Amino acid sequence: MRDVTVSAAPPPPALADKLKFYLIWIAVAATLLLLPKIFSSGGSLTTFSLIGISIMFALSYNILLGQTGMLSFGHAVYYGLGGFLAIHAINFIVGHRFPIPLPLVPLIGGATGLFFAALIGWVMTQRSGTAFAMISLGLAELVASSALILRSFFGGEAGVSANRTKLLKLFDWNFGPQIQIYYLVAGWTLLAVIAMYALTRTPFGRMCNAVRDNPERVQFVGYDPHVVRYLAFCFAGLFAGIAGALAAINFEIANSAYLGAVQSGTVLFAAYIGGIGFFIGPIVGAIFVTFLSLGLSDVTPVWQLYFGLFFIAVVMFAPGGITGLLMMHRPLIKGGTMARVLPSYAVALLPTLAMVVGLMLAIETTVHYTVNPGEDPHIRPFGLPFNAASPLTWATALVLIIGGFALARLSWRRVGHAWDEALTAARQNGVAA
């Protein structure tokens, strides 16, 4: 008789691991509750609300790209339609005086995103890769252009507005103050993040990863990759619709910008910059992109150019995103060899910063002559005074770019050697890479 080897099921998680898991979520919830106590200004609360919406939107996009391997250029369609239906729902509820509180309105946005994802997703998910990306791009442009034509629903360029404070009060909250909207966004974001994390731990989530990595093998073992992609597409539309509804509630308006290519590109940037290979990657990316866009827009008129350059740098030098870079250091930290790399990092940081400063100086002076050629040449990009007409400014930028690049290239080679030595030492200490 043949010997049949039966693989044992993985052991259940230990009690300590379970407690650690639940403590992490409790700590996150406590942090969300305490943030307004520490940062109580209106600007901070608005920023936190935008971050929460961006986190939900980026995680919904990562269901497509990171979990299932579907690159979409039109994810803002479900985000925008969810926002528009939420605004129309608020006006309808107020007009008919239905006793429905505002915290339930995001469900309408989620149902809208799910409906349209289910309606058009079956055809779109027949193929993946380039075909899916092109179809999503065409659909996004179709819906965005329709937003300016179907004025009765989309409101044209002005959009559709609503008054969120006229709905049924909940515990004497009318959701007029920004802090109440913050708690509404925080609550929905926490629920959505938990739900999306739970989705990744289910057999369906594992099957999405299998379809991403090897759809032919998935089909060989008896599963239909098309059905898996379609269900993932529906889940992504659901959570994108909730995010869009929260954005519409936050601003009390929905317009064509919700559906545009800029919105789809921003969520792609957030997910990829944070790291699509990790669940927390889109969270990190959403936080980083929101702060970066808000901060750069206050100090330079060409902040989108810097945004694009940063994205190119991440794609070229850190395809794992910010989270991937951080996770690379785990073996060194566990092995106690991180100190061997830090001096090399410090040496490489100086010429890299010099190159970045030179590039920023060249961009700002060039933009001054192309956008504002007749104005005063004394400019203050990032709060630093420069004379854009002075040859010394151009020479300084050129020296910083060329010299910084040459020295950075040499110093980062040194970082590579130090990294190999530290990783080898960590492995000798019993730490797996």
Side-chain angles (χ1 to χ4, degrees):
M1 295 179 65
R2 294 183 304 172
D3 294 333
V4 180
T5 302
V6 180
S7 59
L15 179 60
D17 295 333
K18 290 183 178 180
L19 291 176
K20 182 180 179 181
F21 173 79
Y22 289 115
L23 285 175
I24 290 175
W25 290 111
I26 293 174
V28 171
T31 302
L32 294 177
L33 288 173
L34 294 176
L35 271 178
K37 307 297 182 182
I38 303 173
F39 306 96
S40 58
S41 65
S44 298
L45 295 176
T46 301
T47 301
F48 293 148
S49 299
L50 293 177
I51 289 175
I53 296 168
S54 299
I55 287 174
M56 192 186 307
F57 192 27
L59 282 175
S60 71
Y61 183 79
N62 201 49
I63 294 176
L64 297 179
L65 181 59
Q67 297 294 322
T68 321
M70 294 188 290
L71 175 62
S72 174
F73 292 122
H75 198 53
V77 169
Y78 318 100
Y79 175 88
L81 290 176
F84 273 101
L85 261 294
I87 290 294
H88 283 296
I90 292 175
N91 291 330
F92 183 79
I93 293 170
V94 171
H96 292 77
R97 298 183 179 180
F98 290 145
I100 300 176
L102 186 66
L104 297 180
V105 173
L107 290 175
I108 299 175
T112 302
L114 175 61
F115 172 78
F116 283 99
L119 181 65
I120 63 178
W122 186 257
V123 176
M124 289 184 60
T125 56
Q126 291 280 352
R127 301 283 299 275
S128 60
T130 304
F132 176 82
M134 293 299 101
I135 294 173
S136 66
L137 178 61
L139 176 67
E141 293 301 318
L142 175 64
V143 176
S145 59
S146 299
L148 300 177
I149 299 173
L150 305 176
R151 295 179 177 272
S152 59
F153 181 81
F154 294 104
E157 296 180 356
V160 182
S161 59
N163 189 345
R164 65 189 182 217
T165 62
K166 292 185 178 181
L167 271 69
L168 178 68
K169 293 183 179 180
L170 187 66
F171 304 113
D172 291 331
W173 280 22
N174 64 352
F175 296 97
Q178 186 62 38
I179 188 171
Q180 296 178 7
I181 293 298
Y182 162 78
Y183 281 121
L184 174 64
V185 172
W188 269 106
T189 300
L190 182 61
L191 289 176
V193 170
I194 293 175
M196 282 185 273
Y197 178 78
L199 181 65
T200 64
R201 312 304 295 178
T202 60
F204 170 74
R206 301 301 188 189
M207 193 56 60
C208 288
N209 299 153
V211 170
R212 175 197 63 194
D213 298 332
N214 196 333
E216 291 81 8
R217 186 178 181 88
V218 170
Q219 191 171 14
F220 178 77
V221 299
Y223 291 92
D224 189 352
H226 174 216
V227 174
V228 176
R229 288 194 294 263
Y230 174 68
L231 293 177
F233 191 81
C234 291
F235 278 114
L238 168 67
F239 291 108
I242 296 176
L246 289 173
I249 291 172
N250 180 57
F251 295 109
E252 295 183 293
I253 190 173
N255 53 36
S256 58
Y258 284 39
L259 302 161
V262 174
Q263 197 72 42
S264 296
T266 301
V267 71
L268 168 62
F269 288 174
Y272 200 92
I273 288 174
I276 60 175
F278 306 89
F279 180 79
I280 64 171
I283 299 177
V284 174
I287 296 172
F288 180 82
V289 167
T290 302
F291 275 118
L292 186 68
S293 58
L294 293 177
L296 286 179
S297 61
D298 291 335
V299 295
T300 176
V302 291
W303 62 273
Q304 291 178 325
L305 175 61
Y306 292 103
F307 196 81
L309 291 175
F310 183 82
F311 178 73
I312 293 174
V314 170
V315 172
M316 293 181 60
F317 303 109
I322 298 175
T323 308
L325 287 177
L326 297 177
M327 298 300 288
M328 286 174 56
H329 295 80
R330 290 184 63 187
L332 305 187
I333 296 175
K334 290 183 177 180
T337 59
M338 187 66 192
R340 301 188 181 188
V341 185
L342 294 179
S344 300
Y345 275 150
V347 173
L349 183 62
L350 293 177
T352 303
L353 288 177
M355 180 182 64
V356 171
V357 171
L359 183 62
M360 292 166 58
L361 183 59
I363 290 174
E364 293 297 331
T365 51
T366 302
V367 167
H368 174 76
Y369 276 105
T370 55
V371 179
N372 305 310
E375 296 186 1
D376 186 7
H378 294 85
I379 58 177
R380 296 181 62 87
F382 299 93
L384 301 177
F386 292 102
N387 184 3
S390 174
L392 181 62
T393 301
W394 293 91
T396 303
L398 189 63
V399 169
L400 288 175
I401 293 174
I402 297 177
F405 174 78
L407 294 177
R409 189 172 183 179
L410 295 175
S411 58
W412 281 105
R413 289 179 182 175
R414 179 179 176 181
V415 171
H417 293 306
W419 179 271
D420 292 338
E421 295 175 358
L423 187 59
T424 300
R427 290 174 177 172
Q428 292 175 354
N429 294 336
V431 178

